Amino acid sequence: MHLKWIAAAAFSTATALSAQPGPIAPRLPGPTGPFAVGRVADHWIDSSRTEPFAPALNARRELMVYVWYPAVAGAAMRHAPYIPDVDKIASSIGEAPMRGVFGTALAAVLAGRVQTASLERAPFAAGAGRAPLLLFSPGFEESVLTYAAQVEDLASHGYVVVGVDHPYDSWGVRFPDGRVIPFAQAQWDAAQRKPDGALGYQLAQIPLRADDIRFVLNRLIASGRTPSRDAPYAGHVDWTKIGAFGHSLGGVAAASACRTDARILACMNEDAEDDGRPWDGGAEALAIKQPFLFFATGHSIYASPRTPPPSAEALAQLKLTRAQFDSTAHQNQRSEDAALASMPGGSYRIMAEAPDFTHGTFMDRKLLQSGSESIARKQEAYMATVRTYVRAFFDQTLLARAPTVLDRVGVIDSVITVERFKPAAPR
């Protein structure tokens, strides 16, 4: 839905999931590609920018960056921990925020029982050749580490995926010197007390995140020439094949980065919009020229024959009459349609319409907190759908592969509808 409802929706998802029983061990689906997956972490400082959230005026913007890449497995290699130093993060920010993130899976996460497919500092897979690069930004108050099911799969198919953890806008970012930067809760609480403050606060994070994405790309290009133990992927990236994507607020940030950086050749937004448009800046915003994919759930679908209208209880929570909701919903859906039809590079919209295919389906949370084998299998099937369409879009736009599942448009099954919008004449 609208950006102003992102945080409320995410909180509701976490709360509902944490109340479910958890009789099965939390697990992540394995990657489906031909390569093993390597992972490294970097701590980078942008000396050209100050940190707006830090009390010190001379503080610089710092980021934690995680890189997943196609790798060669070895018997002596160690799997990367799901959340590095999770015990230290938990002791710093407290149990309540951690339980809000992981719910019933928290004990397993803290005990290190959630297994990733990633191998720490594994050698790059020579068979992957020159790999396309994907830049990823997570959702509001999220971490890139809790999107392992998505990013590991992309790496297993030959992509180098670089996830950016944005400090003060994640539930917890730990730097190598031991500092843990929690979510800026006081600032967020203060913003929510103002009229339209929550929306304004989130919109203000978009240019900051977009600058983070561009800084990371600059840093990668400047330093990514010679492989090393800390950067096995260096020297293996194809700098002519760069894409950007993100989930929720990160999807809008990725769109913003695409608008201002022509090096990025394909852009995807997973389930966030502002007044219907899957980017910030309103109707007068500069057009995004790259091919674009908008992957929407009920969080970003306002009016559809396949989506039932909200219940009276849901309307009461939104403090809207049905007439008010219908008017806003249809206007926002028209804005979304027009925005996607206005793109010079053409666009796709994937609509996932099922009550349990939600805004949280793009993350690991629903996989880890399934509660039963039947629910786990269904959520794994939904994640398989996400993986399939995300990879198909970048396969098509960056690698010119054809055919892909995106060639089939219309109602695909009981959940998925694929729409294609032809390239529009530039404004």
Side-chain angles (χ1 to χ4, degrees):
M1 286 200 170
H2 196 294
L3 280 173
K4 68 182 178 182
W5 293 322
I6 285 177
F11 175 79
S12 298
T13 298
T15 304
L17 286 170
S18 64
Q20 294 180 1
I24 64 169
R27 68 181 187 231
L28 296 173
T32 62
F35 300 107
V37 178
R39 193 185 85 187
V40 295
D42 282 304
H43 170 221
W44 289 343
I45 301 174
D46 185 351
S47 60
S48 70
R49 291 189 294 155
T50 58
E51 174 51 72
F53 286 94
L57 294 178
N58 63 346
R60 303 288 102 178
R61 181 70 168 169
E62 298 180 68
L63 302 171
M64 280 302 297
V65 176
Y66 294 88
V67 184
W68 292 262
Y69 55 91
V72 177
M77 291 179 189
R78 186 166 72 97
H79 281 269
Y82 182 54
I83 308 293
D85 299 309
V86 66
D87 54 335
K88 296 180 176 64
I89 296 174
S91 65
S92 176
I93 70 174
E95 181 180 339
M98 296 293 287
R99 191 162 295 283
V101 174
F102 296 109
T104 56
L106 178 60
V109 172
L110 290 174
R113 295 198 302 269
V114 176
Q115 179 92 11
T116 72
S118 300
L119 301 169
E120 282 200 298
R121 295 188 176 88
F124 191 90
R130 303 284 284 185
L133 175 72
L134 301 178
L135 302 158
F136 177 76
S137 179
F140 182 68
E141 203 178 347
E142 301 295 343
S143 165
V144 294
L145 293 165
T146 53
Y147 294 81
Q150 269 208 72
V151 297
E152 287 185 339
D153 193 62
L154 285 164
S156 77
H157 285 275
Y159 287 89
V160 172
V161 186
V162 181
V164 185
D165 260 350
H166 309 277
Y168 301 96
D169 205 14
S170 167
W171 49 265
V173 176
R174 188 174 191 272
F175 292 128
D177 63 6
R179 288 175 297 144
V180 176
I181 309 299
F183 177 68
Q185 192 66 51
Q187 291 92 327
W188 173 234
D189 290 343
Q192 292 183 94
R193 290 192 288 268
K194 302 175 183 177
D196 295 322
L199 174 60
Y201 182 94
Q202 292 175 80
L203 288 173
Q205 307 315 306
I206 293 169
L208 180 62
R209 283 176 174 237
D211 285 345
D212 289 346
I213 292 170
R214 288 191 295 270
F215 163 71
V216 167
L217 179 54
N218 290 337
R219 180 70 179 258
L220 286 164
I221 292 173
S223 61
R225 303 297 181 187
T226 306
S228 68
R229 183 173 183 273
D230 292 329
Y233 59 88
H236 298 287
V237 175
D238 186 339
W239 302 112
T240 68
K241 295 179 173 64
I242 300 171
F245 71 121
H247 171 237
S248 196
L249 194 67
V252 183
S256 181
C258 289
R259 180 183 289 121
T260 56
D261 197 323
R263 295 172 297 181
I264 303 172
L265 301 181
C267 189
M268 180 188 300
N269 174 340
E270 294 179 345
D271 209 25
E273 41 67 47
D274 181 25
D275 287 335
R277 301 174 193 90
W279 51 74
D280 63 321
E284 300 307 313
L286 292 174
I288 296 172
K289 297 178 181 179
Q290 298 91 330
F292 191 88
L293 186 145
F294 185 42
F295 203 140
T297 72
H299 188 269
S300 298
I301 300 168
Y302 284 98
S304 164
R306 297 178 61 175
T307 296
S311 65
E313 181 183 4
L315 288 172
Q317 290 179 339
L318 293 172
K319 299 180 180 179
L320 295 172
T321 67
R322 189 166 298 280
Q324 289 171 328
F325 179 88
D326 287 345
S327 175
T328 300
H330 287 283
Q331 177 56 52
N332 285 351
Q333 195 66 45
R334 286 192 295 269
S335 295
E336 188 176 295
D337 295 346
L340 291 168
S342 72
M343 306 193 68
S347 64
Y348 290 92
R349 177 169 56 201
I350 299 170
M351 294 197 296
E353 298 178 85
D356 50 354
F357 196 129
T358 70
H359 193 61
T361 296
F362 299 92
M363 300 183 285
D364 298 339
R365 285 185 184 181
K366 296 185 78 171
L367 297 165
L368 297 178
Q369 302 177 50
S370 297
S372 71
E373 187 63 35
S374 61
I375 295 175
R377 289 185 178 183
K378 193 168 189 180
Q379 290 302 320
E380 287 169 3
Y382 286 160
M383 178 54 69
T385 298
V386 170
R387 288 169 156 186
T388 296
Y389 281 102
V390 169
R391 180 162 56 88
F393 175 69
F394 289 119
D395 281 354
Q396 180 189 90
T397 55
L398 298 182
L399 300 176
R401 289 181 179 164
T404 74
V405 292
L406 288 170
D407 292 313
R408 183 184 174 197
V409 298
V411 176
I412 304 304
D413 54 32
S414 62
V415 176
I416 297 295
T417 301
V418 176
E419 297 171 286
R420 181 169 59 231
F421 298 82
K422 296 179 179 180
R427 285 196 272 170

